[in-house]
Amino acid sequence: QKGGYEHFMLKEISEQPKALKDTISPRIDESGNIKLDEFPTNFDNVNKIYIIACGTAYHAGLVGKNLIEKYAKIPVSVDIASEFRYNNPFIDKNTFMIIISQSGETADTLAALRLGRKKGAKILSICNVVGSSIPRESDYCVYTWAGPEIAVASTKAYTTQVAVLAMISLYIGKLRKTISDDEYTKVLNEIKSFPQKAESVLKMESEIESISSYIVNQKDVFYIGRSIDYYVAMEGSLKLKEISYIHSEAIAAGELKHGTLALVEDGVPVIALATQNRLFDKTLSNIKEVKARGGYVIAIAKKGNKEIEKEADVVLYIPEIIDELTAPLSGILLQLLAYYAAKKKGCDIDKPRNLAKSVTVE
Ligand code: M6R
């Protein structure tokens, strides 16, 4: 049931504070540490992690790589499941694979899991559907407790996958002693703030709705960002094209002038994510490049960052949070932007053409 919402997608977007809370809270023990009973307790022999997934789950995996490499100091490769098997992955018994899937039934993702298992890797899955094929065939599974996701466009699965990956990165970091106690506590406190900060982003709904008017009648929309902002840009772009049928592309902001800038002309919308403090000046100069070609910049920044208002046409602010953990907040904002653009175009939001919720063919 849609519970009074016009679409499942909007209902599921709105459920994210609860989905995040349900995913995070049960995994914090009385002393304030992460407890992952579903997880191996020894990482000494692991020398490489592969994260494998499709679509939105792949985009969550990219954020996970950044977090695991930062806090657990193990090299991570993130691969699209339908590509992984056809390249030459280095898998052996010291390889750890993290398989991400909302449905737990995606054919390519399942096939990649089976390949890894055959070659001796240990497999952990992050899934939302209890008892589905992927967790059944994994050594370990950490479930996202997001509740059923009905709309084809994945929303609450994404933010909860990122939350689980963030917790995993700290958990492995603690096991391997690659993170200090202070940093562990600081980052974990930020993870605990996800539900309440997600709530603040949801309060921006009408502001986002009105900004979506600008992109409704456009032929192309570009999303730019660096590092985690780039990964969120990929997710925002996928969401928009999937439900509104507006062509969109995500570009690493630094790559703009290596080709795509040629497409930016008067009025072309560029959604610029500039939430990473350490990369702010660099992204700001990319915004200036876009403005110089007449592009219309919708920027996303952290609250309090007024400097960007001088350059962008409009700015949407997410609540203050450390750079590493912006993805769920900017992710929700872009979900709403895509939703309202599609709604204004009159699209069949919950069931976009040509797509299925669970892709069980390769
Ligand atoms: O069930 P899965 O997480 O394995 O599904 C993966 C993709 O098919 C899925 O995320 C797809 O990209 C969504 N429709 C995007 O909104």
Side-chain angles (χ1 to χ4, degrees):
Q1 293 316 317
K2 291 186 200 146
Y5 290 91
E6 197 177 339
H7 298 100
F8 279 110
M9 182 177 177
L10 187 60
K11 173 174 180 272
E12 289 158 9
I13 290 173
S14 309
E15 284 169 351
Q16 288 177 102
K18 179 175 183 315
L20 285 161
K21 188 167 183 292
D22 292 349
T23 300
I24 298 164
S25 307
R27 296 183 168 117
I28 314 256
D29 68 17
E30 314 75 57
S31 46
N33 289 316
I34 297 169
K35 65 167 164 72
L36 289 177
D37 302 332
E38 329 75 326
F39 213 77
T41 49
N42 189 324
F43 256 78
D44 292 349
N45 295 326
V46 174
N47 56 21
K48 170 169 193 136
I49 296 179
Y50 273 115
I51 298 182
I52 312 292
C54 298
T56 289
Y58 168 72
H59 297 153
L62 291 167
V63 177
K65 168 187 164 78
N66 189 293
L67 296 169
I68 294 170
E69 289 185 338
K70 171 142 188 153
Y71 300 125
K73 309 263 185 292
I74 304 181
V76 181
S77 295
V78 193
D79 280 70
I80 294 171
S82 58
E83 285 291 303
F84 180 69
R85 278 182 302 148
Y86 309 119
N87 294 314
N88 307 295
F90 291 98
I91 310 172
D92 62 23
K93 60 179 183 9
N94 296 326
T95 307
F96 191 78
M97 283 173 67
I98 301 180
I99 305 283
I100 312 175
S101 173
Q102 187 284 131
S103 62
E105 301 294 347
T106 302
D108 280 310
T109 313
L110 187 57
L113 179 161
R114 288 178 179 156
L115 173 72
R117 159 147 268 177
K118 204 166 107 199
K119 295 203 170 195
K122 280 271 169 268
I123 318 273
L124 167 97
S125 53
I126 299 176
C127 266
N128 196 45
V129 178
V130 176
S132 53
S133 303
I134 288 175
R136 277 206 318 270
E137 295 195 27
S138 306
D139 297 297
Y140 316 94
C141 176
V142 180
Y143 282 106
T144 46
W145 298 121
E149 198 182 62
I150 310 292
V152 165
S154 186
T155 54
K156 56 183 180 168
Y158 172 74
T159 46
T160 53
Q161 283 158 358
V162 172
V164 165
L165 286 159
M167 294 180 95
I168 286 176
S169 71
L170 294 188
Y171 186 85
I172 307 177
K174 193 162 193 140
L175 279 180
R176 286 169 47 88
K177 304 190 177 50
T178 50
I179 184 169
S180 70
D181 289 347
D182 283 354
E183 188 160 33
Y184 177 94
T185 309
K186 182 186 104 188
V187 180
L188 186 53
N189 281 335
E190 296 271 50
I191 294 173
K192 289 185 203 160
S193 77
F194 277 162
Q196 168 240 322
K197 289 179 182 167
E199 199 76 72
S200 311
V201 178
L202 292 175
K203 294 208 175 97
M204 297 162 66
E205 190 171 343
S206 57
E207 192 186 349
I208 299 169
E209 178 177 6
S210 82
I211 288 173
S212 73
S213 302
Y214 189 80
I215 55 180
V216 178
N217 296 314
Q218 303 287 342
K219 198 160 73 56
D220 307 296
V221 176
F222 296 100
Y223 289 72
I224 61 168
R226 289 172 181 258
S227 183
I228 286 176
D229 279 343
Y230 173 44
Y231 306 145
V232 178
M234 291 164 86
E235 175 55 11
S237 164
L238 175 65
K239 218 92 296 175
L240 183 71
K241 71 180 96 168
E242 176 178 29
I243 58 168
S244 75
Y245 316 143
I246 299 169
H247 169 253
S248 75
E249 254 185 80
I251 321 284
E255 274 289 295
L256 257 187
K257 50 183 163 302
H258 296 281
T260 312
L261 199 53
L263 297 176
V264 177
E265 49 186 3
D266 252 0
V268 170
V270 176
I271 298 170
L273 287 102
T275 72
Q276 304 293 297
N277 293 347
R278 70 199 161 102
L279 300 168
F280 182 75
D281 290 342
K282 294 223 152 68
T283 307
L284 197 63
S285 56
N286 299 125
I287 291 175
K288 288 179 188 165
E289 286 162 10
V290 169
K291 284 307 302 168
R293 273 84 189 170
Y296 183 86
V297 174
I298 300 170
I300 293 161
K302 278 188 201 150
K303 212 157 243 162
N305 192 341
K306 294 277 172 209
E307 211 186 321
I308 200 157
E309 289 178 11
K310 287 189 235 131
E311 306 300 335
D313 293 279
V314 276
V315 186
L316 288 163
Y317 289 105
I318 60 163
E320 178 55 42
I321 194 155
I322 55 169
D323 285 3
E324 289 73 12
L325 298 178
T326 54
L329 308 181
S330 41
I332 293 175
L333 199 155
L334 295 182
Q335 291 165 3
L336 284 168
L337 191 67
Y339 173 81
Y340 280 108
K343 187 172 165 197
K344 285 179 185 160
K345 279 192 73 181
C347 298
D348 187 357
I349 293 183
D350 285 336
K351 288 198 176 75
R353 66 188 181 205
N354 310 335
L355 300 177
K357 181 65 184 161
S358 182
V359 183
T360 50
V361 286
E362 289 182 19

